[in-house]
Amino acid sequence: MTALTLAKALNAGLRRALADDDKVVLMGEDIGTLGGVFRVTDGLKAEFGPKRVVDTPLSEAGIVGTAVGLAYRGFRPVVEIQFDGFIYPGFDQIVAQVAKLHYRSRGNVRMPITIRVPFGGGIGAAEHHSESPEAYFAHTAGLRVVACSNPADAYVMIRQAIASDDPVLFFEPKRRYHVKGEVDETASLADARPMGVATTIAAGTDVTLVTYGALVQTARDAAIAAAEDGVSIEVIDLRSLAPVDYATVEASVRRTGRMVITHEAGQQGGVGAELAAAITERCFEFLEAAPVRVTGHDIPYPPAKLERHHLPDLDRILDGVDRVLGRPNSMSGVEA
Amino acid sequence: MTPSDRDATGLLTKPDDFVQLVTATGERRPHADFDPWVADVDLGALGRLYRDMAIIRRIDAEATALQRQGELGLWPPLAGQEAAQIGSGRALRDDDFIFSSYREHALAWCRGVEPAELLSVWRGSAASGWNPFEHGMAVPQIIIGAQALHATGYAMGAAWEGSDAAAIAYFGDGATSEGDLNEALVFAASFDAPVVFFCQNNQWAISEPVGLQSKQHLARRADGFGMPGVRVDGNDVLAVLAATRIALDRARRGEGPTFIEAVTYRMGPHTTADDPKRYRTDEELAEWSGRDPLARVLALLDASGVDVAGLERDVKSEADRAAAELRAALTTITDPEPLSVFDHVYAEPNSHVDRQREHYARYLAMFDDTDAAASATAEGGVR
Ligand SMILES: Cc1ncc(C[n+]2csc(CCOP(=O)(O)OP(=O)(O)O)c2C)c(N)n1
């Protein structure tokens, strides 16, 4: 075991993938000499050379589109989108091409492309640098969408994403890049928990709290705070947003009877909306209350000085827990 | 050798391979086509261009310092690009519309943007600093290249209305790789849009040298799109002024777009969050210091008999005053009200946002009169 930051764990995972398979190539803006603006690819160009770790021209459509061609040629491109808000120029290539080619070619063409996206806010950044675009991709058939939340998972999941024959949108919680955790660098993929499977972070009996990415830590803190109040929360790190590991969530909700889901992205049409609908359909007779969503507001990401009023934090999550428990809360007395 | 390994100071940036009216040492070089366009620039006018550049350099340094002191979240310095921005900015008419990216503080200066308006975005207090229609300058663009399309559309509209106003799009060398930029060139050419594409080739797109974006001079691309391309010394304020005036004149006469490549250099980091030492050399920096846009104007004025010491003294006190005003402006930028996060999402009432606003107001009210009020507003909401 080694203590690594999430960024360094990803770096180690990428290094391992590059070493294990010479068809793996990294592509992106500033990922070579600079090592990426978050240094996730630090040192990899020096180690593997400019044909494996490729600084690309400044074009997201170019990066994703050429990755498609490389995949046709048998490569396994790992694309870095510098920041969440810059994925949109590459959106067409991702949703119209990457996502559909396996289907359109009747399984003949594989698109083992990993698209790494630092996502989410809380770092006081400028416009377009704090977005949570995951729902666009979760809505797109043909894409797998995952989000890591800690170094150990990051190290394994990035390798699983690269090894997957499907395209994977790989969301990295940028405000957790510098948080350390124990990583087992000898871990073999064969023994690892598949990236599509959720993890129960904390066991509990009263409420199931589901989240992913940066909010996993906040949810864990909320569970600890709630315990002091006599409320037992089970926290699930979803890890995979498409497909969702419903088995884990369902089993938990059947026991607790209550679900809160929290994410930074807006509420409307979000991952939480889908989860709430699916769980209601699957577990209706077990639910004691309607699922509650605690999310970012449905607004463009606000300026840095206001982001704390946008992002769910511990207090807002606990307020959501109070709602699902029918305890006094911010919605008390309001007609649903 | 792969493109990414190519030296940024290679073929692509040969300093003498462009139109230059004032050399790095301040000699005036005659140019048959360009000279008539700056014939009106006498020593007084040249002094005023110097003044603009010196003040904006000082403002830029002050803002960089403010970021280092934690007053701003981020700042993209323009140092080195003063001539490119002032030379083009001073060529514009008031009714020409500017579509810029994030580094064009000198254009904001030319347009009379107030210090607080300039800083509020970088302080993280506002989503946009000024009203575009008050200053003839759009909300600065962070998505690389997007503004080129906006400028083109604006220009098409101006032409369709029979106006002779033009639009100008500012972008970097890196931006020329984006689809948006290339699509803008296509539209502009197809519709003879009165737009000027002003590329500040400052040699770097964060860590990537211009050679990675283009194997040939960027100005040469224009030809393929069906418009003239001109490559000027971007550190020569006179050459930039002339080139922009020529391009604007073409636009006003209905002759369509022009692509200008101003060859310059970003002396500082990409932004205050960047560490250029990781990707460029001290020698390169030193070489470009020798091509300073301000020093050459002073040298030319000096050789022309102007009291340069007096000019410098006056300009310095003006620049100091501008810097002090900038710093003072910070105190006028207040933190926005929590519920303002919901303002302006839509132009018309929207029941969904209204409901979220109401809910969040109730949530905030729960903390009133309790110690928790502080925790809800503490940084990051952490307690
Ligand atoms: C679509 C998009 N992709 C990536 C980025 C991240 N980014 C910001 S500035 C920059 C480099 C831009 O270089 P250039 O166009 O030469 O302009 P300069 O900053 O040098 O003025 C990059 C990659 C972005 N802002 N937008």
Side-chain angles (χ1 to χ4, degrees):
Chain A
M1 290 280 194
T2 335
L4 293 179
T5 62
L6 194 146
K8 289 237 160 65
L10 288 166
N11 182 273
L14 291 169
R15 174 177 293 106
R16 182 104 179 245
L18 283 162
D20 286 352
D21 181 353
D22 63 9
K23 287 298 182 195
V24 172
V25 290
L26 272 46
M27 298 166 64
E29 297 157 9
D30 303 294
I31 69 165
T33 309
L34 188 67
V37 293
F38 291 108
R39 310 285 186 259
V40 170
T41 54
D42 204 12
L44 298 179
K45 180 182 163 194
E47 199 172 326
F48 294 95
K51 281 195 183 132
R52 304 289 307 285
V53 181
V54 185
D55 269 326
T56 65
L58 211 175
S59 163
E60 291 72 20
I63 298 168
V64 180
T66 55
V68 169
L70 282 159
Y72 259 105
R73 182 73 198 180
F75 284 82
R76 309 185 83 84
V78 183
V79 160
E80 175 177 300
I81 300 294
Q82 197 161 78
F83 275 90
D84 33 49
F86 309 148
I87 199 166
Y88 308 116
F91 192 74
D92 168 58
Q93 286 291 336
I94 298 172
V95 304
Q97 305 300 330
V98 173
K100 296 181 170 63
L101 272 162
H102 189 254
Y103 191 76
R104 286 173 56 214
S105 70
R106 303 201 303 157
N108 284 308
V109 181
R110 298 261 154 113
M111 285 289 131
I113 299 174
T114 302
I115 301 174
R116 295 183 34 241
V117 191
F119 84 125
I123 61 164
E127 285 184 295
H128 307 290
H129 289 73
S130 303
E131 314 229 322
S132 298
E134 59 271 21
Y136 298 115
F137 303 101
H139 189 66
T140 302
L143 301 175
R144 288 181 191 274
V145 183
V146 303
C148 60
S149 68
N150 63 76
D153 271 4
Y155 176 67
V156 173
M157 287 171 74
I158 188 65
R159 290 162 57 209
Q160 290 171 323
I162 296 168
S164 170
D165 275 344
D166 283 323
V168 180
L169 267 291
F170 192 90
F171 286 98
E172 303 168 3
K174 69 172 84 80
R175 80 172 124 134
R176 313 268 324 150
Y177 269 140
H178 302 300
V179 176
K180 275 194 174 170
E182 292 295 326
V183 175
D184 178 6
E185 291 192 74
T186 62
S188 90
L189 284 194
D191 306 333
R193 175 186 295 266
M195 69 177 178
V197 175
T199 311
T200 303
I201 298 284
T205 53
D206 299 332
V207 176
T208 300
L209 175 58
V210 186
T211 189
Y212 54 88
L215 286 184
V216 170
Q217 183 59 44
T218 320
R220 192 198 297 260
D221 294 344
I224 292 168
E228 289 167 17
D229 233 6
V231 176
S232 169
I233 297 183
E234 180 144 305
V235 181
I236 295 177
D237 178 354
L238 214 48
R239 303 196 332 148
S240 178
L241 315 182
V244 166
D245 169 15
Y246 282 114
T248 298
V249 183
E250 269 179 63
S252 174
V253 171
R254 277 163 205 251
R255 268 186 284 106
T256 63
R258 294 180 166 89
M259 182 178 79
V260 174
I261 171 148
T262 182
H263 53 59
E264 293 186 14
Q267 190 175 85
Q268 191 162 269
V271 168
E274 176 61 28
L275 199 74
I279 289 300
T280 304
E281 281 176 359
R282 291 161 190 245
C283 303
F284 188 66
E285 61 274 31
F286 296 89
L287 284 171
E288 313 263 356
V292 163
R293 289 168 287 167
V294 179
T295 68
H297 307 302
D298 288 305
I299 59 172
Y301 198 87
K305 298 257 185 208
L306 282 171
E307 67 180 339
R308 66 173 180 269
H309 290 292
H310 173 61
L311 297 174
D313 60 10
L314 187 145
D315 289 321
R316 276 174 72 192
I317 292 172
L318 291 178
D319 180 59
V321 169
D322 287 339
R323 273 172 73 188
V324 83
L325 284 168
R327 308 198 329 173
N329 66 81
S330 61
M331 292 293 267
S332 296
V334 178
E335 304 266 313
Chain B
M1 202 154 84
T2 69
S4 51
D5 287 331
R6 281 201 296 168
D7 191 333
T9 56
L11 163 81
L12 292 172
T13 58
K14 254 202 190 124
D16 56 350
D17 199 3
F18 45 40
V19 176
Q20 187 183 57
L21 301 186
V22 183
T23 68
T25 52
E27 283 154 58
R28 182 72 170 81
R29 267 199 196 172
H31 191 289
D33 297 333
F34 272 48
D35 282 346
W37 292 91
V38 286
D40 61 313
V41 182
D42 54 18
L43 294 177
L46 196 59
R48 286 192 292 280
L49 289 171
Y50 170 77
R51 168 187 174 274
D52 277 335
M53 293 195 290
I55 292 176
I56 197 63
R57 175 170 289 187
R58 183 75 177 82
I59 287 174
D60 183 62
E62 190 72 10
T64 304
L66 289 173
Q67 194 283 332
R68 301 293 184 214
Q69 292 159 13
E71 298 287 354
L72 303 179
L74 190 76
W75 181 257
L78 65 71
Q81 302 180 215
E82 294 88 350
Q85 296 190 15
I86 293 295
S88 57
R90 289 304 184 204
L92 299 172
R93 220 165 62 187
D94 281 352
D95 62 342
D96 295 332
F97 212 90
I98 299 170
F99 292 83
S100 78
S101 71
Y102 41 78
R103 204 185 298 285
E104 281 76 42
H105 317 303
L107 275 305
W109 162 257
C110 289
R111 285 303 168 103
V113 167
E114 296 293 328
E117 293 179 315
L118 186 68
L119 294 186
S120 58
V121 168
W122 301 107
R123 192 168 166 80
S125 306
S128 76
W130 60 84
N131 177 349
F133 302 107
E134 254 171 43
H135 298 287
M137 182 164 176
V139 175
Q141 183 62 250
I142 284 179
I143 302 297
I144 302 296
Q147 72 276 20
L149 281 163
H150 309 164
T152 302
Y154 186 98
M156 286 159 61
W160 290 345
E161 286 180 349
S163 151
D164 72 343
I168 184 164
Y170 286 89
F171 50 90
D173 41 299
T176 61
S177 295
E178 289 281 6
D180 279 4
L181 198 281
N182 289 277
E183 289 167 32
L185 295 173
V186 171
F187 270 66
S190 294
F191 294 100
D192 287 327
V195 55
V196 180
F197 295 103
F198 195 94
C199 176
Q200 289 175 82
N201 173 2
N202 67 6
Q203 313 306 319
W204 292 94
I206 310 187
S207 74
E208 301 189 336
V210 61
L212 179 60
Q213 319 290 339
S214 184
K215 293 243 179 195
Q216 61 178 11
H217 292 326
L218 292 165
R220 286 186 58 195
R221 289 201 189 169
D223 189 38
F225 285 98
M227 68 184 74
V230 48
R231 192 167 195 265
V232 293
D233 181 345
N235 285 7
D236 171 358
V237 73
L238 264 197
V240 174
L241 180 69
T244 315
R245 282 176 168 178
I246 294 168
L248 288 168
D249 183 63
R250 283 195 72 239
R252 297 196 205 298
R253 286 192 285 107
E255 288 176 18
T258 303
F259 187 105
I260 296 173
E261 177 190 1
V263 182
T264 179
Y265 193 76
R266 153 165 69 76
M267 296 299 293
H270 168 68
T271 67
T272 44
D274 174 43
D275 174 15
K277 283 202 165 54
R278 288 180 77 105
Y279 53 82
R280 70 182 190 193
T281 63
D282 291 344
E283 294 79 66
E284 180 184 307
L285 198 62
E287 192 178 332
W288 280 93
S289 303
R291 300 176 197 156
D292 185 69
L294 278 69
R296 73 179 68 183
V297 173
L298 275 185
L300 176 58
L301 289 170
D302 194 21
S304 315
V306 171
D307 169 18
V308 168
L311 176 70
E312 268 190 285
R313 208 177 324 107
D314 291 350
V315 168
K316 183 176 179 310
S317 70
E318 262 194 275
D320 286 345
R321 200 161 53 239
E325 276 169 20
L326 193 79
R327 186 170 282 272
L330 280 181
T331 61
T332 69
I333 305 173
T334 49
D335 281 2
E337 289 299 319
L339 290 179
S340 71
V341 290
F342 297 100
D343 292 348
H344 310 302
V345 180
Y346 297 94
E348 294 180 16
N350 181 289
S351 57
H352 181 71
V353 172
D354 291 348
R355 188 171 185 281
Q356 283 194 349
R357 183 202 309 262
E358 229 178 272
H359 178 200
Y360 193 60
R362 291 176 67 94
Y363 170 79
L364 288 179
M366 293 198 314
F367 294 96
D368 280 353
D369 307 324
T370 71
D371 290 348
S375 90
T377 50
E379 199 58 50
V382 194
R383 54 177 192 183

